[in-house]
Amino acid sequence: MVVEFKELYGGEAQSQRQRYEELQKGFEENFGSAEGAAYFSAPGRTEIGGNHTDHNHGRVLTAAVNLDIVGLARKQKNGRISLKSAEYPGMDTFDLGDLTRKEEEEGTSLALLKGICAKCQMLGYKVGGFECYTMTRVLKGSGLSSSAAFEVLVVTVISHLYNEGRIDPVTAAIIAQYAENVYFGKPSGLLDQMACSVGGFTSIDFKDPSSPVIEKVDFDFSACGHALCVVDTGGNHANLTGEYAAIPAEMKRVAGFFGKEYLRDVEEQEFYDKLPAVRGEAGDRAVLRAMHFFDDDRLAKEEAEALKAGDFDGFKQKILESGRSSFQRLQNVFAVGSPQEQGVSLALALSGRFLAGRGAFRVHGGGFAGTIQAFVPLDLAIATLCCCPPDN
């Protein structure tokens, strides 16, 4: 889909033009003339509700943000893909004749590129060579899904260069998730990729991940008197794959007790009725994480309903309840291997003190390190900005 700068960036349109000029310059420095190349964009995302529910077929509430990754790409007839990112050294380049998954490439952007191409071919889409230069404002480790934004950008490039734009947003998310799960080695759910591909303020039900129920939430956030702040706590998500992987694994262990694969297919009351036996089979932390799933799956739906009804105060209470569940039951506010590093826990504690019963706050995204999310009354947000130097 082709969109105008003003439609994509609003009041930032003029400054974004300069950014795109820099993008073209970077492309030309790496690949020569930009003749025949096209521009692409994919947004980062913020998770509003449904913390670690998607991988067990739960519900989420999410929104795209105006921090995006942009790319300039052009077809190549040599059967090779070459991608250079402005923010990282080196260039990923490979031949489409070999899309074999290689263990030594796990955790790299090269693995994501190969995985995306492999899945596109599996689904019957055309894949061909291209060269691409990217620039991103979706900070790595920010909890805004820099990897999902990158993945969706690449799928979008392939869709438009070789498939007449026919890869729809849901399929794009599924392709991106496959690359991250199978080639990159991170067992993520569909939330990140779906939020980046669909865009907007969206409620998603993953009961059937092959056909998720997607509903746009019509809510004017600018009129609610709050700023949505994603706060960097100083850590990042590097080397935390094991922590993330343990969450869906433990939830599925509980589901397995009931002969199911995913918690969404387990009756909540039956879970509580048989809790002592589940505890003996799956362990205490798995039980707590299952409790979180049942609560946050419900809360994601209730948060969306509150917004649709214009009940922002009720929405904030749901956010606080979700945050408490993530802290106490999901336990994704710090890594168990590094108990002295608790930037997320500290930021949450200070947010409670600062907001003093106003606003709302919770861990953001995958957790363990990175960011928290806070809904801050505008008077407090403005006062904080006025008191802090710009580089703070």
Side-chain angles (χ1 to χ4, degrees):
M1 180 176 66
V2 178
V3 296
E4 298 293 333
F5 260 67
K6 189 173 182 181
E7 181 183 350
L8 191 60
Y9 295 111
E12 292 186 3
Q14 191 57 44
S15 62
Q16 287 295 328
R17 288 184 184 279
Q18 182 178 349
R19 180 178 174 223
Y20 277 72
E21 289 171 1
E22 294 174 3
L23 181 70
Q24 180 175 332
K25 181 179 178 181
F27 182 93
E28 291 172 344
E29 289 174 351
N30 285 274
F31 303 114
S33 167
E35 183 179 357
Y39 293 99
F40 299 89
S41 169
R45 70 95 183 100
T46 181
E47 171 199 288
I48 306 297
N51 194 213
H52 281 281
T53 55
D54 56 327
H55 47 60
N56 267 261
H57 295 188
R59 287 167 284 208
V60 302
L61 179 62
T62 186
V65 297
N66 63 353
L67 300 176
D68 63 351
I69 178 173
V70 294
L72 185 58
R74 177 174 58 198
K75 279 185 178 182
Q76 280 291 91
K77 297 180 180 179
N78 59 6
R80 293 186 66 79
I81 289 178
S82 298
L83 186 143
K84 168 65 179 172
S85 297
E87 296 78 17
Y88 301 99
M91 180 186 298
D92 289 323
T93 182
F94 64 96
D95 194 311
L96 285 167
D98 181 14
L99 296 180
T100 308
R101 176 188 172 277
K102 298 177 181 178
E103 189 173 342
E104 63 270 20
E105 292 175 353
E106 281 192 2
T108 67
S109 54
L110 178 60
L112 292 175
L113 286 166
K114 286 187 174 181
I116 288 168
C117 293
K119 186 63 173 178
C120 284
Q121 288 185 345
M122 290 179 200
L123 295 176
Y125 292 106
K126 296 178 181 178
V127 178
F130 64 84
E131 48 198 13
C132 181
Y133 184 79
T134 70
M135 297 175 65
T136 187
R137 297 196 303 166
V138 189
L139 300 177
K140 184 178 180 181
S142 66
L144 297 174
S145 293
S146 58
S147 60
F150 174 80
E151 294 155 12
V152 170
L153 179 80
V154 174
V155 177
T156 304
V157 168
I158 293 172
S159 177
H160 285 270
L161 292 187
Y162 287 100
N163 296 277
E164 300 178 330
R166 290 186 295 103
I167 302 180
D168 64 88
V170 172
T171 303
I174 291 171
I175 292 168
Q177 183 202 26
Y178 173 87
E180 188 160 308
N181 289 177
V182 178
Y183 277 67
F184 189 83
K186 182 179 178 181
S188 66
L190 260 176
L191 184 155
D192 295 352
Q193 291 82 4
M194 192 71 74
C196 292
S197 64
V198 173
F201 206 170
T202 312
S203 175
I204 309 173
D205 188 337
F206 290 111
K207 186 173 179 62
D208 178 3
S210 65
S211 183
V213 178
I214 302 169
E215 180 183 3
K216 293 286 187 179
V217 177
D218 185 15
F219 178 76
D220 183 8
F221 185 78
S222 64
C224 70
H226 286 67
L228 170 57
C229 302
V230 177
V231 183
D232 185 0
T233 69
N236 66 61
H237 294 160
N239 302 318
L240 289 173
T241 297
E243 296 279 2
Y244 298 129
I247 293 177
E250 290 180 7
M251 288 184 178
K252 290 175 183 178
R253 190 183 308 157
V254 172
F257 176 90
F258 296 94
K260 307 293 184 182
E261 187 174 359
Y262 302 101
L263 277 177
R264 182 65 182 273
D265 299 320
V266 175
E267 291 293 332
E268 182 178 1
Q269 188 57 54
E270 185 181 7
F271 163 77
Y272 279 104
D273 288 344
K274 298 181 179 179
L275 196 147
V278 178
R279 182 186 179 195
E281 178 76 22
D284 289 346
R285 191 172 70 169
V287 166
L288 285 164
R289 286 175 164 172
M291 292 171 67
H292 166 80
F293 172 86
F294 289 121
D295 282 348
D296 227 38
D297 177 59
R298 169 180 53 81
L299 284 167
K301 179 182 179 182
E302 292 176 354
E303 288 158 2
E305 291 172 346
L307 289 181
K308 286 186 286 186
D311 181 11
F312 193 70
D313 286 337
F315 166 78
K316 289 189 294 182
Q317 291 305 310
K318 302 297 181 184
I319 292 293
L320 289 169
E321 189 176 342
S322 171
R324 284 191 293 268
S325 182
S326 290
F327 201 126
Q328 297 170 356
R329 299 174 179 178
L330 186 61
Q331 299 178 26
N332 66 330
V333 292
F334 69 91
V336 294
S338 305
Q340 296 303 312
E341 184 180 341
Q342 295 204 34
V344 172
S345 305
L346 180 59
L348 292 170
L350 290 173
S351 295
R353 177 181 174 85
F354 173 74
L355 291 172
R358 302 176 65 194
F361 56 95
R362 65 193 284 274
V363 64
H364 181 245
F368 299 110
T371 58
I372 69 164
Q373 180 186 86
F375 294 86
V376 183
L378 289 178
D379 61 314
L380 291 178
I382 293 170
T384 302
L385 289 172
C386 290
C387 293
C388 293
D391 60 354
N392 281 359

